[in-house]
Amino acid sequence: MSVGKFMFICFAGLLLNLLGSSVAEIFNLPIFLDTSGTIFIAALGSYMPGIAVGFLTNLLKSLFDSHQMYYASFSIIIAIFTTVMARRGFFLSLGKVILLIPLIAIFMGCCSVNIENFLHSSSLIQSFSEFNTSFVEHFSIEIIDKTITVLLAFLLLKKTPNDIKKSFRTLGQRQAPLSEEMKRAVDNEDYLSSSLRTKLLLILMLSSFFVSFSIAFISYQIFKDAALGERIKSVSGITTVILSELNPAQIDNFVNHGRDDKNYRAVESKLYTLKNTNPELRYIYVYRFSEAGCQVVFDIDTTSGFTGDAPGEIIEFDPAFLKYKDDLIAGRPIPPIISNDEYGRLLTIYKPLYDDKGKCQCYAAVDLSLESLTEETGDFVIRLLTLFVGCFIFIFVLGLWFIENNIILPLNTMAYCARSFSYDNASERQKNMELIKSLKITTGDEIENLYSALIRSAENVARYLEHLQMAKVQVANMRVKVFAMDELAHKDSLTGVRNKTAYVGMTNKLDQKISEGSANFCIVMIDVNFLKKVNDTYGHERGNEYLINACRLVCSVFGEEHVYRIGGDEFVVIVEGEKVSLCKYFVNQFKAEMNRKANNALLQPWEKISAAVGLAFYEADNDKSADEVFKRADDLMYKNKLAMKAQRTD
């Protein structure tokens, strides 16, 4: 199926959702009709386009009604649930489809009730307490709505061509559709306890949670800071208005005469008017501070029955302001203070009033109740939690869809083909090659490179086996000549590494460098253990394999270009230049690899390598020739061999 056709079908599903929702709104129906497209697309067999259609439906509807975005997570879950049911055959017959309707209706009824309660209740507990009162009403609406939408989706599925259904079931796969036999084999594969799928899904889940949580947390902090900032700005403005009503020259008269002063009564009346304009204003008062305490200038009575203190009365410092006592006495500004005590959770702002000489005469103060802020924050958290769930599911499912189709499935099918590859005869090899090529993996990344490398390797192996078959007769006739040539050459005939002749030539070069003062090398002496035991127990052929395996291990750690076989079970490694500093690490790695093989119960005795090792570095002040370094390495190897014998229990 082309990309254009796929996009058209998904757009049709989105349009079906929006049209159904518009019809319900235009005719003022008590149902929604906004999930037919989601169910239809999801039932085609792929959950990702169904999720996208459901998510985009709520996103577009939220442009006109912001509450619609809170239902996005439930649209996503409906898409996943529908996909699972479709893959189990529930959309193949009308009877099974009818069974789905009450399940979806119950689920959406619960979701609708809780969402509405969350959005209109002041607390999470209250929203749950109101659940039973509206569930029956919502369920009756949902059963009608889902009957229409599910049956409409079912009819559309019946009219959809099979090739489109098949394309949707393999949507996102970057390779050819699998045969039923391979699909069963891959699905029944025994994965490792710590497989790549497990690791990637864990990383995906943590990443999705981290991204969603970070966005939610940052949004919460921005909302809380903005809401608190607005209140601070509002209270600061009110405090400024209070200061504008006060004359610094009259403060002493206000303190001494109180309400007997007509100007005092005029200012007090304005303060009461100011307080009555904002129901969240808890206290308005004006204080003069000294070491003796807080002297009252104005203290407005509250609507809750709290009577303000009389002018001139001195009261103790509130505990929340003790740390600012010195600043208040000195007449310096202090920052807004949030307190939570017997008077409730309050935001308090103090502003000083200065006379013409710059002396602070008093402070105007306003206490604003933060109870509404707490309720707003709780309501915002509930809304944010709903969006968080939807975003988390959407990001996780999107990542899961990508990982399964672009990484896990290609790797598993390649692994299946590689394990199934048969080398027995030409016809089987050809059949296996056709199977590998039939995958047609086109991820466009390293996975596709790996697939191409697998094909090339399989083709090379097949050609090699064909050439090997033809060369068997020639090899048998030339074996004697090859052996003679190997003896004359610098390579060991059994292991393929350089032989003693090459070693002697190398030591001569090292002696030359020593004489020139440019030598920098080390020698590792390796003596393979148990060769005689392997020969006596399993035969010389296994003994040769034992030596070859030992040589391979030495080469894999130190590099074949540095290895020499100088005797039956003796190998020498000569390392020069920058790699000399790494030789101790190489020796430890070699020993660790021997231990690993020794503890592997799946290996044959001739595959488990045991060897004594000695390492010696060239010392410019002491060594006159490479042979002296070799002797030290040989001595250390012998000590290592004695230590290994002392530890043996066999």
Side-chain angles (χ1 to χ4, degrees):
M1 181 173 61
S2 64
V3 176
K5 184 180 291 186
F6 163 72
M7 295 297 293
F8 175 78
I9 294 174
C10 290
F11 178 76
L14 176 62
L15 189 62
L16 182 61
N17 283 345
L18 297 177
L19 286 176
S21 178
S22 299
V23 169
E25 291 181 7
I26 292 173
F27 292 97
N28 198 24
L29 300 177
I31 54 180
F32 313 104
L33 302 178
D34 59 352
T35 55
S36 292
T38 303
I39 295 173
F40 166 63
I41 297 297
L44 283 175
S46 181
Y47 55 85
M48 194 57 228
I51 288 174
V53 168
F55 189 83
L56 288 175
T57 298
N58 290 103
L59 181 63
L60 293 175
K61 291 177 66 176
S62 67
L63 298 176
F64 307 97
D65 180 6
S66 61
H67 288 174
Q68 290 297 324
M69 200 59 206
Y70 301 118
Y71 293 90
S73 57
F74 304 113
S75 296
I76 292 172
I77 295 175
I78 282 181
I80 297 174
F81 176 77
T82 302
T83 302
V84 173
M85 293 296 103
R87 291 179 178 179
R88 294 175 180 270
F90 273 80
F91 280 86
L92 296 177
S93 65
L94 181 61
K96 291 183 177 181
V97 167
I98 293 175
L99 291 177
L100 287 179
I101 294 174
L103 296 178
I104 299 177
I106 291 174
F107 170 75
M108 287 304 296
C110 294
C111 295
S112 299
V113 172
N114 283 319
I115 283 290
E116 291 191 6
N117 289 341
F118 285 169
L119 298 179
H120 299 97
S121 298
S122 60
S123 69
L124 194 63
I125 297 177
Q126 180 183 349
S127 69
F128 281 117
S129 66
E130 296 172 355
F131 176 83
N132 291 331
T133 59
S134 54
F135 173 73
V136 175
E137 177 184 352
H138 280 80
F139 175 73
S140 60
I141 294 174
E142 289 292 342
I143 199 71
I144 298 173
D145 178 72
K146 293 305 175 286
T147 298
I148 297 173
T149 54
V150 172
L151 290 179
L152 178 59
F154 176 72
L155 291 175
L156 291 174
L157 281 172
K158 287 296 184 182
K159 299 295 183 180
T160 303
N162 289 328
D163 60 332
I164 294 180
K165 294 180 181 178
K166 186 177 181 181
S167 298
F168 263 83
R169 283 195 291 271
T170 59
L171 185 66
Q173 294 182 9
R174 309 295 292 180
Q175 62 186 78
L178 304 182
S179 64
E180 291 299 325
E181 179 182 357
M182 184 181 292
K183 188 183 299 183
R184 287 193 298 270
V186 172
D187 291 341
N188 296 329
E189 186 71 29
D190 292 330
Y191 296 107
L192 298 174
S193 58
S194 182
S195 65
L196 180 62
R197 172 189 270 119
T198 303
K199 295 175 182 177
L200 288 176
L201 290 184
L202 180 60
I203 293 173
L204 174 62
M205 182 177 295
L206 293 176
S207 301
S208 302
F209 179 84
F210 177 76
V211 170
S212 302
F213 177 79
S214 298
I215 294 173
F217 181 75
I218 293 172
S219 301
Y220 166 75
Q221 290 295 334
I222 292 174
F223 171 82
K224 188 177 70 172
D225 293 343
L228 183 60
E230 285 295 323
R231 283 166 171 78
I232 291 175
K233 183 178 179 181
S234 174
V235 175
S236 179
I238 294 172
T239 310
T240 301
V241 172
I242 295 174
L243 290 178
S244 67
E245 298 293 336
L246 298 175
N247 186 347
Q250 295 179 338
I251 299 303
D252 288 333
N253 288 333
F254 289 167
V255 172
N256 296 325
H257 300 98
R259 294 182 178 85
D260 295 334
D261 189 316
K262 64 177 182 178
N263 292 327
Y264 183 96
R265 292 193 300 273
V267 173
E268 186 179 45
S269 175
K270 292 179 180 179
L271 295 183
Y272 273 108
T273 301
L274 187 62
K275 182 181 182 301
N276 293 333
T277 59
N278 190 337
E280 291 187 348
L281 291 179
R282 187 66 62 84
Y283 306 105
I284 293 179
Y285 48 97
V286 179
Y287 284 170
R288 173 182 282 177
F289 296 97
S290 65
E291 290 291 344
C294 310
Q295 189 174 37
V296 177
V297 181
F298 289 94
D299 194 359
I300 304 304
D301 299 339
T302 66
T303 56
S304 59
F306 180 83
T307 303
D309 295 308
E313 186 176 346
I314 296 178
I315 60 176
E316 295 181 356
F317 277 92
D318 190 285
F321 300 90
L322 285 177
K323 62 180 179 179
Y324 299 109
K325 179 179 178 181
D326 294 338
D327 293 323
L328 293 170
I329 293 174
R332 292 189 290 266
I334 64 172
I337 298 173
I338 296 177
S339 60
N340 192 4
D341 50 26
E342 58 182 310
Y343 302 108
R345 190 162 182 261
L346 302 174
L347 167 65
T348 303
I349 290 184
Y350 276 71
K351 282 192 177 181
L353 177 69
Y354 298 102
D355 57 20
D356 295 338
K357 297 180 180 180
K359 181 180 179 181
C360 178
Q361 292 296 325
C362 62
Y363 280 83
V366 174
D367 289 344
L368 181 76
S369 173
L370 294 180
E371 293 179 0
S372 62
L373 176 61
T374 302
E375 294 177 359
E376 290 177 14
T377 304
D379 180 65
F380 181 77
V381 168
I382 292 173
R383 296 168 184 259
L384 201 61
L385 180 63
T386 306
L387 291 176
F388 166 78
V389 172
C391 292
F392 171 77
I393 295 175
F394 183 76
I395 295 173
F396 178 77
V397 171
L398 179 63
L400 176 62
W401 179 72
F402 176 82
I403 288 173
E404 286 288 344
N405 289 314
N406 288 266
I407 300 177
I408 302 302
L409 182 61
L411 287 178
N412 283 340
T413 51
M414 282 191 287
Y416 168 78
C417 292
R419 280 193 297 270
S420 303
F421 200 92
S422 175
Y423 302 93
D424 295 338
N425 54 66
S427 61
E428 287 295 325
R429 289 196 296 270
Q430 182 62 29
K431 186 184 299 183
N432 293 141
M433 282 303 307
E434 292 176 357
L435 179 62
I436 295 175
K437 292 181 178 180
S438 68
L439 296 179
K440 297 180 181 179
I441 296 174
T442 57
T443 58
D445 51 24
E446 291 80 0
I447 299 294
E448 185 175 348
N449 290 339
L450 179 62
Y451 173 64
S452 300
L454 175 63
I455 293 178
R456 288 195 298 270
S457 298
E459 289 175 340
N460 291 336
V461 169
R463 283 195 297 268
Y464 172 77
L465 291 175
E466 291 175 2
H467 295 158
L468 185 63
Q469 188 68 29
M470 293 185 295
K472 280 185 177 180
V473 177
Q474 297 178 9
V475 170
N477 296 331
M478 297 178 62
R479 185 169 295 172
V480 176
K481 294 180 180 180
V482 171
F483 179 78
M485 292 175 62
D486 285 342
E487 287 294 318
L488 295 175
H490 287 74
K491 282 193 175 182
D492 178 59
S493 61
L494 177 64
T495 61
V497 297
R498 285 180 281 187
N499 57 15
K500 189 171 184 179
T501 302
Y503 170 74
V504 172
M506 185 62 189
T507 55
N508 291 335
K509 293 180 182 178
L510 292 176
D511 290 341
Q512 180 66 30
K513 291 183 180 180
I514 290 174
S515 64
E516 295 172 354
S518 61
N520 178 25
F521 67 95
C522 66
I523 294 178
V524 183
M525 180 64 190
I526 300 173
D527 188 87
V528 179
N529 299 323
F530 307 129
L531 177 59
K532 184 177 183 303
K533 181 178 179 180
V534 174
N535 283 331
D536 294 342
T537 306
Y538 304 103
H540 287 279
E541 185 176 350
R542 296 304 186 191
N544 289 341
E545 288 188 36
Y546 183 57
L547 280 175
I548 292 172
N549 289 331
C551 181
R552 287 175 179 169
L553 180 58
V554 175
C555 292
S556 67
V557 175
F558 295 97
E560 183 179 346
E561 68 274 16
H562 304 300
V563 180
Y564 303 82
R565 184 186 180 199
I566 64 171
D569 54 2
E570 295 179 336
F571 295 88
V572 173
V573 179
I574 299 178
V575 179
E576 291 187 277
E578 296 179 353
K579 289 187 178 180
V580 170
S581 60
L582 299 175
C583 267
K584 287 185 178 180
Y585 167 76
F586 291 154
V587 170
N588 291 333
Q589 187 179 8
F590 178 74
K591 292 179 178 180
E593 188 63 19
M594 285 195 300
N595 290 333
R596 186 187 70 79
K597 288 179 176 292
N599 294 324
N600 191 339
L602 299 178
L603 296 180
Q604 298 293 339
W606 52 87
E607 295 176 316
K608 300 179 179 181
I609 309 305
S610 174
V613 184
L615 167 64
F617 294 88
Y618 166 70
E619 299 174 357
D621 297 334
N622 300 322
D623 297 322
K624 305 301 181 184
S625 67
D627 189 56
E628 294 182 17
V629 182
F630 170 80
K631 288 179 179 179
R632 286 206 311 275
D634 190 57
D635 291 340
L636 292 172
M637 179 276 295
Y638 183 70
K639 291 179 181 179
N640 181 231
K641 182 178 285 290
L642 293 178
M644 294 176 72
K645 287 182 178 180
Q647 294 177 358
R648 281 165 44 192
T649 59
D650 57 339

